Amino acid sequence: MNDIILQELKKIIKVNRLKAKLNYKQLSELSGISDQMIRKYENDVLLDIPIGKYIHLLKVLNVSPIELIQVLHIFY
């Protein structure tokens, strides 16, 4: 995946987690993904997010698919 797109996707997770006022542990409990992995997904620039996990986090965070489409549209 393009590094710039990956950075934007990671930013969407972080921004929406903070909007929802969730810490890593709380999002972990809601998503079933460990808090350590969520932290890595947000902060590790080299770690690619599996698309299934990314979509799952978007659903848990109630992120509109339009937000994702807008990010992808910028780069394609």
Side-chain angles (χ1 to χ4, degrees):
M1 188 179 303
N2 181 315
D3 289 343
I4 296 170
I5 294 172
L6 184 58
Q7 289 173 5
E8 290 300 314
L9 296 177
K10 290 171 182 266
K11 195 182 304 180
I12 289 173
I13 292 173
K14 185 171 191 170
V15 166
N16 284 284
R17 178 181 60 78
L18 294 173
K19 275 186 196 175
K21 298 180 181 173
L22 296 172
N23 61 35
Y24 294 114
K25 182 77 172 160
Q26 292 166 322
L27 182 54
S28 172
E29 291 169 0
L30 291 172
S31 67
I33 300 171
S34 75
D35 57 328
Q36 294 90 354
M37 284 309 298
I38 294 169
R39 185 174 285 115
K40 285 182 181 183
Y41 290 160
E42 286 186 9
N43 300 306
D44 187 342
V45 294
L46 299 177
L47 182 67
D48 203 352
I49 303 170
I51 193 68
K53 299 262 186 193
Y54 180 73
I55 291 171
H56 179 65
L57 285 169
L58 291 178
K59 287 179 182 178
V60 170
L61 291 168
N62 295 315
V63 175
S64 165
I66 292 174
E67 187 173 349
L68 174 60
I69 290 168
Q70 288 171 337
V71 168
L72 294 176
H73 188 263
I74 292 170
F75 299 101
Y76 290 106

